[in-house]
Amino acid sequence: MPVEMQAEPEHFYEKVQKLGEKFLAQNPHPKGKRAWRGKEYWRRIIPDLYDAYEGICAYTCHWTPYDTGWKTVEHFKPISKYPQYAYRWDNYRFVCGSLNGRKRDAEEILDPFTLKEGMFTLHFPTLQLTPSDNLPEYERRLVYKTIHSSLKLNDATCIKGRRDWLVPYLRGEYSLSYLGRKAPFLAFELKRQQLDDINHPMWEEYKK
């Protein structure tokens, strides 16, 4: 789903950007993880990033628990290639650790800040992500690469994540509005496809 970029925290410049710019002025082309060691000032802003995006991972569209979730700053433009963006708020995406680890330095991935609504479709009952119908070919390729190349959004782990949010909803354990706060894309697709009725015949197997 498209994600609206949130405002930079008031203390971001002092806590992150100012220190980062000083480091880059002395080391404009850091090479390898060792060069960045001790200079990961962006980690100081993780609580602010979490709050700004309400704990929703930009790639899975699932909520990350504050106390047990693996919370990370994802540099959409990877710092290995674009060190000048290492300490810029607009280059940060709130992403769970698993998906951050998968993306690494990949660039052929749609940016949650700029993608258009309706580019992805969630297929029920398989819970597989697919490119939406009638996309231009170049957009279809980008959606396909985003799903499959690095993020692997249709692997067993991601499917189980969607299922773990869906099944309690189908069993009546929480409302669609709650699901929308915790797994917004899943809730959006259920409603869009008119499958949000928990008594729909499709869901009999899921509720067993």
Side-chain angles (χ1 to χ4, degrees), residues 7-36:
E8 178 182 304
E10 291 182 2
H11 52 266
F12 178 78
Y13 180 76
E14 290 294 328
K15 290 182 69 173
V16 178
Q17 188 174 346
K18 182 178 179 179
L19 298 172
E21 287 176 349
K22 181 179 179 180
F23 166 64
L24 290 175
Q26 299 170 349
N27 304 274
H29 303 290
K31 298 296 182 183
K33 290 184 178 181
R34 182 174 294 182
W36 293 96

PDB file of all heavy atoms in Angstrom, residues 7-36:
ATOM      1  N   ALA A   7       6.298  13.539   8.984  1.00  0.00           N
ATOM      2  CA  ALA A   7       7.175  14.676   9.243  1.00  0.00           C
ATOM      3  C   ALA A   7       8.409  14.258  10.031  1.00  0.00           C
ATOM      4  O   ALA A   7       8.355  13.387  10.908  1.00  0.00           O
ATOM      5  CB  ALA A   7       6.415  15.756  10.007  1.00  0.00           C
ATOM      6  N   GLU A   8       9.489  14.892   9.716  1.00  0.00           N
ATOM      7  CA  GLU A   8      10.757  14.661  10.411  1.00  0.00           C
ATOM      8  C   GLU A   8      10.636  15.095  11.871  1.00  0.00           C
ATOM      9  O   GLU A   8      10.130  16.182  12.156  1.00  0.00           O
ATOM     10  CB  GLU A   8      11.846  15.452   9.699  1.00  0.00           C
ATOM     11  CG  GLU A   8      13.216  15.367  10.296  1.00  0.00           C
ATOM     12  CD  GLU A   8      14.204  16.225   9.537  1.00  0.00           C
ATOM     13  OE1 GLU A   8      14.328  16.020   8.300  1.00  0.00           O
ATOM     14  OE2 GLU A   8      14.833  17.107  10.158  1.00  0.00           O
ATOM     15  N   PRO A   9      11.090  14.288  12.830  1.00  0.00           N
ATOM     16  CA  PRO A   9      11.033  14.696  14.240  1.00  0.00           C
ATOM     17  C   PRO A   9      11.850  15.958  14.476  1.00  0.00           C
ATOM     18  O   PRO A   9      12.877  16.196  13.823  1.00  0.00           O
ATOM     19  CB  PRO A   9      11.647  13.494  14.976  1.00  0.00           C
ATOM     20  CG  PRO A   9      11.514  12.349  14.037  1.00  0.00           C
ATOM     21  CD  PRO A   9      11.615  12.918  12.656  1.00  0.00           C
ATOM     22  N   GLU A  10      11.430  16.757  15.434  1.00  0.00           N
ATOM     23  CA  GLU A  10      12.101  18.026  15.714  1.00  0.00           C
ATOM     24  C   GLU A  10      13.570  17.834  16.080  1.00  0.00           C
ATOM     25  O   GLU A  10      14.416  18.658  15.736  1.00  0.00           O
ATOM     26  CB  GLU A  10      11.383  18.761  16.841  1.00  0.00           C
ATOM     27  CG  GLU A  10       9.994  19.275  16.460  1.00  0.00           C
ATOM     28  CD  GLU A  10       9.345  20.046  17.584  1.00  0.00           C
ATOM     29  OE1 GLU A  10       9.991  20.220  18.643  1.00  0.00           O
ATOM     30  OE2 GLU A  10       8.186  20.481  17.420  1.00  0.00           O
ATOM     31  N   HIS A  11      13.880  16.762  16.781  1.00  0.00           N
ATOM     32  CA  HIS A  11      15.248  16.549  17.250  1.00  0.00           C
ATOM     33  C   HIS A  11      16.085  15.724  16.272  1.00  0.00           C
ATOM     34  O   HIS A  11      17.209  15.351  16.593  1.00  0.00           O
ATOM     35  CB  HIS A  11      15.230  15.853  18.615  1.00  0.00           C
ATOM     36  CG  HIS A  11      14.387  14.609  18.630  1.00  0.00           C
ATOM     37  ND1 HIS A  11      13.079  14.626  19.027  1.00  0.00           N
ATOM     38  CD2 HIS A  11      14.668  13.338  18.270  1.00  0.00           C
ATOM     39  CE1 HIS A  11      12.581  13.403  18.934  1.00  0.00           C
ATOM     40  NE2 HIS A  11      13.523  12.604  18.459  1.00  0.00           N
ATOM     41  N   PHE A  12      15.563  15.462  15.092  1.00  0.00           N
ATOM     42  CA  PHE A  12      16.281  14.600  14.146  1.00  0.00           C
ATOM     43  C   PHE A  12      17.628  15.196  13.729  1.00  0.00           C
ATOM     44  O   PHE A  12      18.640  14.488  13.677  1.00  0.00           O
ATOM     45  CB  PHE A  12      15.430  14.352  12.904  1.00  0.00           C
ATOM     46  CG  PHE A  12      16.111  13.506  11.863  1.00  0.00           C
ATOM     47  CD1 PHE A  12      16.202  12.133  12.012  1.00  0.00           C
ATOM     48  CD2 PHE A  12      16.684  14.089  10.732  1.00  0.00           C
ATOM     49  CE1 PHE A  12      16.840  11.351  11.067  1.00  0.00           C
ATOM     50  CE2 PHE A  12      17.323  13.318   9.782  1.00  0.00           C
ATOM     51  CZ  PHE A  12      17.403  11.939   9.951  1.00  0.00           C
ATOM     52  N   TYR A  13      17.639  16.481  13.452  1.00  0.00           N
ATOM     53  CA  TYR A  13      18.885  17.091  12.980  1.00  0.00           C
ATOM     54  C   TYR A  13      19.992  16.943  14.016  1.00  0.00           C
ATOM     55  O   TYR A  13      21.119  16.532  13.687  1.00  0.00           O
ATOM     56  CB  TYR A  13      18.676  18.567  12.637  1.00  0.00           C
ATOM     57  CG  TYR A  13      19.949  19.225  12.154  1.00  0.00           C
ATOM     58  CD1 TYR A  13      20.434  18.990  10.869  1.00  0.00           C
ATOM     59  CD2 TYR A  13      20.692  20.063  12.993  1.00  0.00           C
ATOM     60  CE1 TYR A  13      21.621  19.569  10.433  1.00  0.00           C
ATOM     61  CE2 TYR A  13      21.873  20.651  12.564  1.00  0.00           C
ATOM     62  CZ  TYR A  13      22.329  20.392  11.281  1.00  0.00           C
ATOM     63  OH  TYR A  13      23.502  20.955  10.848  1.00  0.00           O
ATOM     64  N   GLU A  14      19.684  17.255  15.273  1.00  0.00           N
ATOM     65  CA  GLU A  14      20.714  17.193  16.318  1.00  0.00           C
ATOM     66  C   GLU A  14      21.125  15.763  16.631  1.00  0.00           C
ATOM     67  O   GLU A  14      22.313  15.481  16.843  1.00  0.00           O
ATOM     68  CB  GLU A  14      20.210  17.889  17.592  1.00  0.00           C
ATOM     69  CG  GLU A  14      20.081  19.395  17.473  1.00  0.00           C
ATOM     70  CD  GLU A  14      21.429  20.086  17.298  1.00  0.00           C
ATOM     71  OE1 GLU A  14      22.430  19.571  17.841  1.00  0.00           O
ATOM     72  OE2 GLU A  14      21.479  21.131  16.620  1.00  0.00           O
ATOM     73  N   LYS A  15      20.176  14.846  16.647  1.00  0.00           N
ATOM     74  CA  LYS A  15      20.464  13.469  17.054  1.00  0.00           C
ATOM     75  C   LYS A  15      21.087  12.628  15.949  1.00  0.00           C
ATOM     76  O   LYS A  15      21.831  11.685  16.224  1.00  0.00           O
ATOM     77  CB  LYS A  15      19.182  12.784  17.536  1.00  0.00           C
ATOM     78  CG  LYS A  15      18.651  13.302  18.852  1.00  0.00           C
ATOM     79  CD  LYS A  15      17.412  12.556  19.297  1.00  0.00           C
ATOM     80  CE  LYS A  15      17.692  11.137  19.688  1.00  0.00           C
ATOM     81  NZ  LYS A  15      16.496  10.467  20.278  1.00  0.00           N
ATOM     82  N   VAL A  16      20.772  12.967  14.684  1.00  0.00           N
ATOM     83  CA  VAL A  16      21.186  12.107  13.586  1.00  0.00           C
ATOM     84  C   VAL A  16      21.926  12.877  12.483  1.00  0.00           C
ATOM     85  O   VAL A  16      23.098  12.625  12.210  1.00  0.00           O
ATOM     86  CB  VAL A  16      19.960  11.379  12.973  1.00  0.00           C
ATOM     87  CG1 VAL A  16      20.393  10.509  11.796  1.00  0.00           C
ATOM     88  CG2 VAL A  16      19.257  10.540  14.024  1.00  0.00           C
ATOM     89  N   GLN A  17      21.235  13.799  11.855  1.00  0.00           N
ATOM     90  CA  GLN A  17      21.767  14.400  10.630  1.00  0.00           C
ATOM     91  C   GLN A  17      23.059  15.203  10.862  1.00  0.00           C
ATOM     92  O   GLN A  17      24.013  15.091  10.085  1.00  0.00           O
ATOM     93  CB  GLN A  17      20.704  15.297   9.993  1.00  0.00           C
ATOM     94  CG  GLN A  17      21.106  15.813   8.614  1.00  0.00           C
ATOM     95  CD  GLN A  17      19.976  16.578   7.945  1.00  0.00           C
ATOM     96  OE1 GLN A  17      18.820  16.517   8.380  1.00  0.00           O
ATOM     97  NE2 GLN A  17      20.301  17.299   6.901  1.00  0.00           N
ATOM     98  N   LYS A  18      23.094  16.001  11.900  1.00  0.00           N
ATOM     99  CA  LYS A  18      24.277  16.824  12.173  1.00  0.00           C
ATOM    100  C   LYS A  18      25.512  15.958  12.372  1.00  0.00           C
ATOM    101  O   LYS A  18      26.583  16.228  11.784  1.00  0.00           O
ATOM    102  CB  LYS A  18      24.023  17.695  13.397  1.00  0.00           C
ATOM    103  CG  LYS A  18      25.161  18.645  13.755  1.00  0.00           C
ATOM    104  CD  LYS A  18      24.771  19.487  14.972  1.00  0.00           C
ATOM    105  CE  LYS A  18      25.895  20.425  15.366  1.00  0.00           C
ATOM    106  NZ  LYS A  18      25.502  21.255  16.549  1.00  0.00           N
ATOM    107  N   LEU A  19      25.387  14.922  13.173  1.00  0.00           N
ATOM    108  CA  LEU A  19      26.515  14.022  13.429  1.00  0.00           C
ATOM    109  C   LEU A  19      26.902  13.270  12.165  1.00  0.00           C
ATOM    110  O   LEU A  19      28.090  13.065  11.879  1.00  0.00           O
ATOM    111  CB  LEU A  19      26.154  13.044  14.545  1.00  0.00           C
ATOM    112  CG  LEU A  19      25.856  13.664  15.913  1.00  0.00           C
ATOM    113  CD1 LEU A  19      25.326  12.606  16.878  1.00  0.00           C
ATOM    114  CD2 LEU A  19      27.113  14.307  16.483  1.00  0.00           C
ATOM    115  N   GLY A  20      25.884  12.845  11.405  1.00  0.00           N
ATOM    116  CA  GLY A  20      26.156  12.119  10.176  1.00  0.00           C
ATOM    117  C   GLY A  20      26.860  12.959   9.141  1.00  0.00           C
ATOM    118  O   GLY A  20      27.786  12.490   8.458  1.00  0.00           O
ATOM    119  N   GLU A  21      26.447  14.214   9.013  1.00  0.00           N
ATOM    120  CA  GLU A  21      27.089  15.096   8.040  1.00  0.00           C
ATOM    121  C   GLU A  21      28.549  15.348   8.411  1.00  0.00           C
ATOM    122  O   GLU A  21      29.418  15.437   7.527  1.00  0.00           O
ATOM    123  CB  GLU A  21      26.318  16.409   7.959  1.00  0.00           C
ATOM    124  CG  GLU A  21      24.974  16.266   7.244  1.00  0.00           C
ATOM    125  CD  GLU A  21      24.172  17.554   7.240  1.00  0.00           C
ATOM    126  OE1 GLU A  21      24.560  18.504   7.966  1.00  0.00           O
ATOM    127  OE2 GLU A  21      23.160  17.606   6.518  1.00  0.00           O
ATOM    128  N   LYS A  22      28.837  15.448   9.697  1.00  0.00           N
ATOM    129  CA  LYS A  22      30.222  15.627  10.142  1.00  0.00           C
ATOM    130  C   LYS A  22      31.059  14.408   9.773  1.00  0.00           C
ATOM    131  O   LYS A  22      32.194  14.548   9.277  1.00  0.00           O
ATOM    132  CB  LYS A  22      30.251  15.860  11.653  1.00  0.00           C
ATOM    133  CG  LYS A  22      31.646  16.082  12.209  1.00  0.00           C
ATOM    134  CD  LYS A  22      31.606  16.336  13.709  1.00  0.00           C
ATOM    135  CE  LYS A  22      33.003  16.534  14.269  1.00  0.00           C
ATOM    136  NZ  LYS A  22      32.976  16.775  15.753  1.00  0.00           N
ATOM    137  N   PHE A  23      30.496  13.221   9.997  1.00  0.00           N
ATOM    138  CA  PHE A  23      31.206  11.990   9.644  1.00  0.00           C
ATOM    139  C   PHE A  23      31.458  11.911   8.146  1.00  0.00           C
ATOM    140  O   PHE A  23      32.572  11.603   7.698  1.00  0.00           O
ATOM    141  CB  PHE A  23      30.402  10.777  10.116  1.00  0.00           C
ATOM    142  CG  PHE A  23      30.843   9.476   9.524  1.00  0.00           C
ATOM    143  CD1 PHE A  23      32.100   8.961   9.787  1.00  0.00           C
ATOM    144  CD2 PHE A  23      29.990   8.766   8.691  1.00  0.00           C
ATOM    145  CE1 PHE A  23      32.506   7.758   9.230  1.00  0.00           C
ATOM    146  CE2 PHE A  23      30.387   7.558   8.129  1.00  0.00           C
ATOM    147  CZ  PHE A  23      31.646   7.055   8.399  1.00  0.00           C
ATOM    148  N   LEU A  24      30.438  12.216   7.340  1.00  0.00           N
ATOM    149  CA  LEU A  24      30.580  12.117   5.893  1.00  0.00           C
ATOM    150  C   LEU A  24      31.518  13.178   5.326  1.00  0.00           C
ATOM    151  O   LEU A  24      32.152  12.958   4.291  1.00  0.00           O
ATOM    152  CB  LEU A  24      29.213  12.215   5.224  1.00  0.00           C
ATOM    153  CG  LEU A  24      28.279  11.010   5.424  1.00  0.00           C
ATOM    154  CD1 LEU A  24      26.911  11.291   4.823  1.00  0.00           C
ATOM    155  CD2 LEU A  24      28.876   9.744   4.813  1.00  0.00           C
ATOM    156  N   ALA A  25      31.601  14.309   5.999  1.00  0.00           N
ATOM    157  CA  ALA A  25      32.545  15.338   5.547  1.00  0.00           C
ATOM    158  C   ALA A  25      33.977  14.836   5.643  1.00  0.00           C
ATOM    159  O   ALA A  25      34.830  15.185   4.824  1.00  0.00           O
ATOM    160  CB  ALA A  25      32.367  16.610   6.374  1.00  0.00           C
ATOM    161  N   GLN A  26      34.225  14.000   6.643  1.00  0.00           N
ATOM    162  CA  GLN A  26      35.566  13.443   6.826  1.00  0.00           C
ATOM    163  C   GLN A  26      35.753  12.131   6.076  1.00  0.00           C
ATOM    164  O   GLN A  26      36.887  11.765   5.723  1.00  0.00           O
ATOM    165  CB  GLN A  26      35.821  13.227   8.323  1.00  0.00           C
ATOM    166  CG  GLN A  26      35.771  14.508   9.138  1.00  0.00           C
ATOM    167  CD  GLN A  26      35.781  14.246  10.628  1.00  0.00           C
ATOM    168  OE1 GLN A  26      35.620  13.113  11.086  1.00  0.00           O
ATOM    169  NE2 GLN A  26      35.963  15.308  11.409  1.00  0.00           N
ATOM    170  N   ASN A  27      34.634  11.430   5.827  1.00  0.00           N
ATOM    171  CA  ASN A  27      34.683  10.131   5.153  1.00  0.00           C
ATOM    172  C   ASN A  27      33.557  10.074   4.123  1.00  0.00           C
ATOM    173  O   ASN A  27      32.536   9.413   4.342  1.00  0.00           O
ATOM    174  CB  ASN A  27      34.511   8.994   6.167  1.00  0.00           C
ATOM    175  CG  ASN A  27      35.526   9.042   7.281  1.00  0.00           C
ATOM    176  OD1 ASN A  27      36.620   8.519   7.162  1.00  0.00           O
ATOM    177  ND2 ASN A  27      35.154   9.684   8.389  1.00  0.00           N
ATOM    178  N   PRO A  28      33.703  10.750   2.997  1.00  0.00           N
ATOM    179  CA  PRO A  28      32.585  10.861   2.049  1.00  0.00           C
ATOM    180  C   PRO A  28      32.199   9.565   1.344  1.00  0.00           C
ATOM    181  O   PRO A  28      31.085   9.456   0.839  1.00  0.00           O
ATOM    182  CB  PRO A  28      33.099  11.891   1.029  1.00  0.00           C
ATOM    183  CG  PRO A  28      34.582  11.857   1.164  1.00  0.00           C
ATOM    184  CD  PRO A  28      34.870  11.538   2.593  1.00  0.00           C
ATOM    185  N   HIS A  29      33.089   8.569   1.360  1.00  0.00           N
ATOM    186  CA  HIS A  29      32.796   7.322   0.655  1.00  0.00           C
ATOM    187  C   HIS A  29      33.120   6.115   1.546  1.00  0.00           C
ATOM    188  O   HIS A  29      34.052   5.359   1.268  1.00  0.00           O
ATOM    189  CB  HIS A  29      33.586   7.239  -0.648  1.00  0.00           C
ATOM    190  CG  HIS A  29      33.342   8.389  -1.578  1.00  0.00           C
ATOM    191  ND1 HIS A  29      32.138   8.557  -2.237  1.00  0.00           N
ATOM    192  CD2 HIS A  29      34.131   9.438  -1.928  1.00  0.00           C
ATOM    193  CE1 HIS A  29      32.200   9.657  -2.970  1.00  0.00           C
ATOM    194  NE2 HIS A  29      33.380  10.207  -2.794  1.00  0.00           N
ATOM    195  N   PRO A  30      32.353   5.918   2.633  1.00  0.00           N
ATOM    196  CA  PRO A  30      32.613   4.771   3.512  1.00  0.00           C
ATOM    197  C   PRO A  30      32.433   3.454   2.744  1.00  0.00           C
ATOM    198  O   PRO A  30      31.484   3.290   1.988  1.00  0.00           O
ATOM    199  CB  PRO A  30      31.552   4.913   4.609  1.00  0.00           C
ATOM    200  CG  PRO A  30      31.081   6.332   4.514  1.00  0.00           C
ATOM    201  CD  PRO A  30      31.206   6.706   3.081  1.00  0.00           C
ATOM    202  N   LYS A  31      33.332   2.522   2.953  1.00  0.00           N
ATOM    203  CA  LYS A  31      33.277   1.240   2.268  1.00  0.00           C
ATOM    204  C   LYS A  31      33.167   0.096   3.273  1.00  0.00           C
ATOM    205  O   LYS A  31      34.016  -0.060   4.150  1.00  0.00           O
ATOM    206  CB  LYS A  31      34.537   1.026   1.416  1.00  0.00           C
ATOM    207  CG  LYS A  31      34.727   2.060   0.306  1.00  0.00           C
ATOM    208  CD  LYS A  31      33.607   1.979  -0.727  1.00  0.00           C
ATOM    209  CE  LYS A  31      33.828   2.973  -1.854  1.00  0.00           C
ATOM    210  NZ  LYS A  31      32.713   2.967  -2.837  1.00  0.00           N
ATOM    211  N   GLY A  32      32.091  -0.686   3.148  1.00  0.00           N
ATOM    212  CA  GLY A  32      31.900  -1.840   4.008  1.00  0.00           C
ATOM    213  C   GLY A  32      31.314  -1.493   5.365  1.00  0.00           C
ATOM    214  O   GLY A  32      31.315  -0.333   5.800  1.00  0.00           O
ATOM    215  N   LYS A  33      30.810  -2.510   6.054  1.00  0.00           N
ATOM    216  CA  LYS A  33      30.152  -2.301   7.343  1.00  0.00           C
ATOM    217  C   LYS A  33      31.089  -1.721   8.387  1.00  0.00           C
ATOM    218  O   LYS A  33      30.685  -0.935   9.237  1.00  0.00           O
ATOM    219  CB  LYS A  33      29.566  -3.629   7.837  1.00  0.00           C
ATOM    220  CG  LYS A  33      28.375  -4.122   7.026  1.00  0.00           C
ATOM    221  CD  LYS A  33      27.798  -5.391   7.634  1.00  0.00           C
ATOM    222  CE  LYS A  33      26.574  -5.855   6.855  1.00  0.00           C
ATOM    223  NZ  LYS A  33      25.982  -7.091   7.443  1.00  0.00           N
ATOM    224  N   ARG A  34      32.343  -2.116   8.327  1.00  0.00           N
ATOM    225  CA  ARG A  34      33.296  -1.643   9.339  1.00  0.00           C
ATOM    226  C   ARG A  34      33.434  -0.123   9.299  1.00  0.00           C
ATOM    227  O   ARG A  34      33.596   0.524  10.340  1.00  0.00           O
ATOM    228  CB  ARG A  34      34.649  -2.310   9.120  1.00  0.00           C
ATOM    229  CG  ARG A  34      35.697  -1.924  10.146  1.00  0.00           C
ATOM    230  CD  ARG A  34      36.964  -2.725   9.979  1.00  0.00           C
ATOM    231  NE  ARG A  34      36.747  -4.133  10.274  1.00  0.00           N
ATOM    232  CZ  ARG A  34      37.706  -5.058  10.244  1.00  0.00           C
ATOM    233  NH1 ARG A  34      38.945  -4.721   9.917  1.00  0.00           N
ATOM    234  NH2 ARG A  34      37.425  -6.314  10.525  1.00  0.00           N
ATOM    235  N   ALA A  35      33.365   0.449   8.103  1.00  0.00           N
ATOM    236  CA  ALA A  35      33.515   1.898   7.970  1.00  0.00           C
ATOM    237  C   ALA A  35      32.382   2.660   8.649  1.00  0.00           C
ATOM    238  O   ALA A  35      32.560   3.799   9.085  1.00  0.00           O
ATOM    239  CB  ALA A  35      33.586   2.271   6.486  1.00  0.00           C
ATOM    240  N   TRP A  36      31.198   2.019   8.745  1.00  0.00           N
ATOM    241  CA  TRP A  36      30.036   2.673   9.351  1.00  0.00           C
ATOM    242  C   TRP A  36      29.933   2.385  10.853  1.00  0.00           C
ATOM    243  O   TRP A  36      29.074   2.971  11.523  1.00  0.00           O
ATOM    244  CB  TRP A  36      28.753   2.194   8.680  1.00  0.00           C
ATOM    245  CG  TRP A  36      28.611   2.614   7.259  1.00  0.00           C
ATOM    246  CD1 TRP A  36      28.928   1.890   6.135  1.00  0.00           C
ATOM    247  CD2 TRP A  36      28.124   3.872   6.777  1.00  0.00           C
ATOM    248  NE1 TRP A  36      28.662   2.602   4.999  1.00  0.00           N
ATOM    249  CE2 TRP A  36      28.161   3.825   5.368  1.00  0.00           C
ATOM    250  CE3 TRP A  36      27.641   5.025   7.391  1.00  0.00           C
ATOM    251  CZ2 TRP A  36      27.745   4.897   4.559  1.00  0.00           C
ATOM    252  CZ3 TRP A  36      27.224   6.087   6.607  1.00  0.00           C
ATOM    253  CH2 TRP A  36      27.287   6.018   5.211  1.00  0.00           C
TER     254      TRP A  36
END
